[in-house]
Amino acid sequence: MELTCRDCPRRCGADRTARAGYCGMTDTAEVAEIGGRPFVLHRFEEPVVSGTKGTAAIFFCGCNLGCVYCQNRRISFRGRGRMLDVDALARLIAEAARSGAHSVSLITAGHFIRPVSEALRLVRPDIEVPVVWNSGGYESPESIDRLAGLVDVFLPDFKYLDPDRAARYSHAPDYGQTAVACIRRMTELAPGPVIENGILSKGVLIRHLVLPGGRRDGENIMRCIADKFPRALVSIMRQYTPAFCPDAYPELKRKVTSFEYDSVVNAAADAGLKGFMQGKESADARYTPDFD
């Protein structure tokens, strides 16, 4: 078995059986707790994911990006959860699927691709709701291949095309080209979209969080999606909250303006994309899960 980790684009080479990789995690899946529970009925995702009953959201600790403005930094930058072996993780996913939610969302699980895919393989035949892969978009096509037949809906971020912004804010200058390759593989595994009773049961829904000063990059991303992934849905997010950003990035210490946000929305409309947008009220820390 390969001990040096090459699962994500960082290819950090860590022996995660002995020490943490770039993502801050060992090879055992670690799941965050919210209110003492390993999953939560999350009602603030896109309507085709949350529906009226919510999605059963499982948040994984650690991340291979480390965005400076991360809203989930309490779990992304360090472990704060339950360590679960493959069997325990499979039981958790099965329990989430039986919770009455419209879907099961696996959130930021890419750095645990091996145990998560193994757990899904154990329980997938018994899961009757869509399984959603909610990711930062910084994953390798080879890792996504491990999810073939196991995931119904891919919900990746597309954060940047501009390599300078990607380097400054997520320490990943190759983010744009990596996201394109990753999302291309997702669209091959889950063509669609297929919406049944108001819930996305198959397909790709690409998210873009509009950042302060990121209007041009956001517009270019919408045009890129229309060119390369015209069947994908888009979700243009306005929930950026400056409270989570350190003072070392003064240009991000403000909310997104209506002009910036509307410019990206208009670019998506002009490109013929379909999907979802958010109101001003979403830019509030109250919409962030409390991992304490």
Side-chain angles (χ1 to χ4, degrees):
M1 175 180 168
E2 177 70 49
L3 294 181
T4 55
C5 188
R6 298 284 189 271
D7 287 341
C8 93
R10 298 286 183 188
R11 300 179 64 83
C12 69
D15 175 2
R16 289 173 61 191
T17 64
R19 63 182 176 88
Y22 185 97
C23 59
M25 296 286 110
T26 63
D27 65 344
T28 301
E30 186 169 350
V31 172
E33 293 189 336
I34 304 175
R37 291 182 54 79
F39 73 89
V40 63
L41 290 181
H42 192 6
R43 302 180 187 276
F44 298 110
E45 301 284 41
E46 288 79 4
V48 290
V49 176
S50 288
T52 58
K53 300 177 183 178
T55 182
I58 301 174
F59 288 84
F60 289 82
C61 297
C63 184
N64 68 347
L65 279 173
C67 303
V68 299
Y69 49 84
C70 181
Q71 296 182 349
N72 294 344
R73 64 176 56 249
R74 282 173 290 180
I75 66 166
S76 295
F77 291 0
R78 60 186 185 276
R80 295 177 62 94
R82 298 186 190 183
M83 307 288 285
L84 301 176
D85 62 20
V86 169
D87 288 339
L89 182 58
R91 290 194 295 271
L92 173 60
I93 294 171
E95 179 187 355
R98 295 192 299 266
S99 67
H102 286 295
S103 57
V104 175
S105 290
L106 307 176
I107 300 177
T108 318
H111 49 294
F112 293 124
I113 188 67
R114 293 174 186 266
V116 172
S117 59
E118 291 174 18
L120 281 172
R121 205 169 299 282
L122 291 175
V123 297
R124 179 69 251 213
D126 300 321
I127 295 179
E128 297 181 353
V129 296
V131 174
V132 180
W133 186 257
N134 183 327
S135 81
Y138 194 63
E139 297 167 297
S140 68
E142 295 78 15
S143 285
I144 298 302
D145 280 341
R146 290 178 176 270
L147 301 172
L150 303 176
V151 165
D152 304 292
V153 174
F154 288 97
L155 190 59
D157 290 338
F158 196 155
K159 298 176 184 292
Y160 324 94
L161 271 175
D162 184 333
D164 293 333
R165 293 177 64 82
R168 177 162 173 77
Y169 301 137
S170 295
H171 315 293
D174 62 337
Y175 180 93
Q177 65 199 55
T178 300
V180 167
C182 168
I183 295 171
R184 179 177 291 114
R185 190 67 186 115
M186 292 175 173
T187 60
E188 291 168 352
L189 293 182
V194 177
I195 298 176
E196 300 175 311
N197 299 317
I199 301 298
L200 185 62
S201 62
K202 192 176 188 64
V204 177
L205 171 54
I206 304 171
R207 285 174 165 172
H208 174 66
L209 175 66
V210 181
L211 294 175
R215 172 174 65 90
R216 293 296 187 193
D217 204 24
E219 293 171 347
N220 289 335
I221 285 170
M222 294 304 122
R223 288 189 279 268
C224 176
I225 294 171
D227 177 53
K228 299 181 182 300
F229 317 115
R231 296 187 63 188
L233 297 173
V234 296
S235 177
I236 305 172
M237 304 173 74
R238 192 174 180 166
Q239 67 188 53
Y240 174 76
T241 308
F244 295 98
C245 187
D247 294 338
Y249 302 88
E251 71 274 24
L252 295 183
K253 298 296 287 184
R254 65 171 175 84
K255 292 186 177 182
V256 171
T257 67
S258 294
F259 173 71
E260 289 173 317
Y261 182 76
D262 291 346
S263 295
V264 179
V265 170
N266 291 338
D270 291 344
L273 296 174
K274 297 181 180 180
F276 306 91
M277 55 186 292
Q278 289 182 321
K280 288 183 179 180
E281 68 279 359
S282 63
D284 194 299
R286 292 177 299 172
Y287 289 86
T288 303
D290 185 358
F291 298 104
D292 291 337

